Structures are given as C-alpha cells and as structure tokens.
Amino acid sequence: MVQDRGPTRLYLMGHSTDPEIRQKSASGGVATSLLLHLLETRQVDEVAVIGMDNERPVARLTGDPQVVRDSMMSKYGPVPMLATLIPELRKRPRRIAMTVTPCQLGGWVRATERIAKLRESTVLALGLFCGQIQSYDSITSIAATLGIQYPGEAKFKAWRDGPYPGSASFEFLDGTTVEKPLYACLDVAVPHFSLHRCFLCPDGGNWLADITMGDIHHGGIDETVIVCRTLKGQLAIKSAQMSDMIQIQELTLAQVEECVIKGITRSKLLPAIARNAWLKERGDAAPEFDYDPATLLQRFIKRLVPFWIWKYRLTFWARTGWRRRFLLNHPATMEKTGHFLYYFPATIPGYTVAIKAAKLFLQMLGTNVRK
Ligand SMILES: Cc1cc2nc3c(=O)[nH]c(=O)nc-3n(C[C@H](O)[C@H](O)[C@H](O)COP(=O)(O)OP(=O)(O)OC[C@H]3O[C@@H](n4cnc5c(N)ncnc54)[C@H](O)[C@@H]3O)c2cc1C
Ligand code: SF4
C-alpha cells in the first residue's frame, strides 16, 4: 500500500495484440482484450460494458464478444450502470467482470454489502482511472466551437475517435465527419461541464478495484497503464498475457512518476481532500471520506492547497450567472477560459518558472523537496 496511491502489487504497461482493438480502443486496448479473454476461458459468465445507443452511453451485461468489441473506448458522461446491473443480477446471479469508474464501483460494493445475490456475482472489478465526467450539454458546446449546431445539424459519434489519443467526432447527414482533438475538447468540457461531485472526489485511482487502467499520457503512446491492486487482478492479467491476448511489461519507477499513477494523486486525490476540508471549515456541505488530510497534505504539498481552492472557486464563479450565459454564447472564449482553468495554476504567467526556481533554491539549501 502506497499511502497516496492505494493498494498496489505491480505497475504495468501494455497493449492488446489484436491490431483492430489497439487501434479502436481508448489507450492500449488491454481492457477489451482482458474482457474477451475472461469470456473465452470461461473465467466469467458475462461481462458488464458500456456501449452507445442513440448517441448516449448505456450499460450492457453480455456474453457476446462482438458486443464487447463494439463497446470499446471511454465514454465521458454519466452512465447509470447499477440501474442495469442490480436488477439483472438479482434475478439471475452470474460470475461477471466489469469495467467501472471509482464511483460506480463504490456504489456496487455498497450494494453487495446489502444484497446477498450480488455477492455471488462479482468476479473481477476492472477499474478505470477517472479524472471526471461531464454532463451531456458539454457535447453541444464542443460542437459549437466547430461551428456545428448540436443536436440538429450532426450526430455525435464518439469522444475519442481515430488514432490515440483520438478526437470527438460529429457526423453530418451526408456521412462526412468533423473532428476536434481530445485535449482541445477537454479544455471546453472539463472546467465548464464536469459534475460538481467530480471536483470533490478523491478516488481517481479506483482503489477498490482489482486492477486500475489508464492512459500513460506521456509522450502520447497508445498503451494502457495498469495498476494491479489484488492477487485476483494480477492473475487475470497474467492469464491474458499467457494466452497472447495482451503484451505487457513492468513500468520503471521513472515511468510511474511520469504517468497517470502519480498524476492522478496530484490532480484529484490531494485537491479533493483539500477542498473538502475547506468546505467543512466554512460550514458548507462536503462529502465524507476516510482519508487523513493531516498525513496526506504535508510540507511542500501544503503550499499548493490555496491554488487548488482557488481553481475550484474560479471554476464555479465562471460557471455561474451572466458569466455562464456569456460563455455559452461565445464558444471560442469558453475554450480559452477553459484552458486557463483546466491547467490552473500552471497557466498563471510566471508560475512554472517561479516553482522551478523555488525547487532549485530549496535543493541548494539541502531541503528534501518532494517532487
Ligand atoms: C469517465 C472516464 C474517465 C477517465 N479518466 C481518466 C483519466 O483522467 N486518466 C487516465 O489515465 N485514464 C482515464 N480513464 C481511463 C481511460 O480512458 C481508458 O479507459 C483506460 O486507459 C483503458 O483503456 P483501454 O484502451 O484498455 O480500454 P478499451 O479497450 O477502450 O475499453 C474501455 C472499456 O471501458 C468501458 N467504459 C467506457 N466508458 C465507461 C464508463 N463511463 N464507465 C464504465 N466503463 C466504461 C467500455 O465498455 C470498455 O469495455 C477514464 C475513463 C473513463 C470512462
Ligand atoms: S471523478 Fe469521481 S465522482 Fe466523478 S465520475 Fe469519476 S469516480 Fe465518479
């Protein structure tokens, strides 16, 4: 157990050996290949995946490999997964594997504590790292930055179409498509449309899962980053590797420090803990978690707390009243302000240079600065 990274047995990176899966998946396609392997080797009866129906994500419980293939790729919108899973599995418990965000898994674990039939069902929780999800009006604003009126003029195809990391894509009636690269879409979607709860959610690393999968996000490689959290999870990965469904390698310590494994601690866990503590101090409602702010928000990290609070305050200031109305009517400005807020405080002029100088100064003084 690494204190700020959750239960950890092994850090891996890998990809599917099926070229079509690797091409069409979110990162390396390990999630899809692992689900197919578990079905093929009858380690599970069915799997829970998120497909698309009428331009919206839907949860499906399936034993059909084609449905699993059709469900590849991340869907960045709310999916009421448990509303599908719980009634189905209460009727007929089965051994399942499921891809889940941390809050979906939290809800599932809570449900299994209360409903015995569900406890007979879970075999493997294949967790996804989770930065945030957005309400569906984000798609309208992303389309607006492309000059498309959505809904109406075009259909929404996917959040991450095409080669890694992919682009949001819209299809016109005549079959032509228009795309907007992922990171430009995130500038619009993340600050302006992420659910409020995501700003206060510390568990981007999916600590309750058997494994957690994410994008490496460094150097733009189409590989899946994998944290094996339980023995069950580690054995499932090993089994898929032995069947040549996936190729994996251990991450070096340097790679761990450069990818989402460290990134999610900095971008979600610590800011959420700091924001929840701040809200409580003000007497405002805040979600309860059992992380210990005193041990996690130490020394150098403590200096970042005001920035995390300001990021949260500025974001919701921009999302309220006349500012919201103005930005909805001016998509290009929405994208620019979104970029500023998404990468805040690094977008404050001079911030990055000042941080580098402060680190250098402290190193010269011989102080142990945690990177
Ligand atoms: C909402 C969300 C936020 C994410 N945020 C981050 C992040 O900040 N940083 C990061 O590194 N990675 C994040 N990920 C994980 C990343 O996008 C990939 O899912 C992960 O790298 C696995 O890639 P893959 O190629 O192996 O998956 P694929 O082979 O493409 O398979 C993805 C699987 O996930 C399922 N799925 C898709 N959307 C959802 C959903 N909303 N809920 C549950 N299951 C779903 C699909 O059914 C499919 O089975 C996020 C994923 C989601 C869904
Ligand atoms: S950030 Fe947290 S609350 Fe938001 S979707 Fe992800 S797991 Fe759920």
Side-chain angles (χ1 to χ4, degrees), residues 265-329:
T265 300
R266 281 300 176 91
S267 63
K268 280 206 71 70
L269 175 75
L270 301 176
I273 288 174
R275 286 170 194 152
N276 290 329
W278 176 76
L279 285 170
K280 269 190 211 153
E281 253 173 52
R282 284 164 49 108
D284 291 339
E288 288 286 342
F289 294 99
D290 54 4
Y291 304 91
D292 178 16
T295 45
L296 286 168
L297 300 176
Q298 283 177 351
R299 292 187 317 228
F300 191 70
I301 292 290
K302 247 191 166 151
R303 298 167 209 215
L304 297 172
V305 169
F307 292 109
W308 293 329
I309 307 293
W310 271 106
K311 179 172 182 156
Y312 173 65
R313 295 183 78 173
L314 276 175
T315 300
F316 282 91
W317 179 80
R319 285 169 60 153
T320 315
W322 65 265
R323 275 105 37 203
R324 180 63 155 187
R325 288 191 294 279
F326 175 83
L327 292 173
L328 285 173
N329 287 321

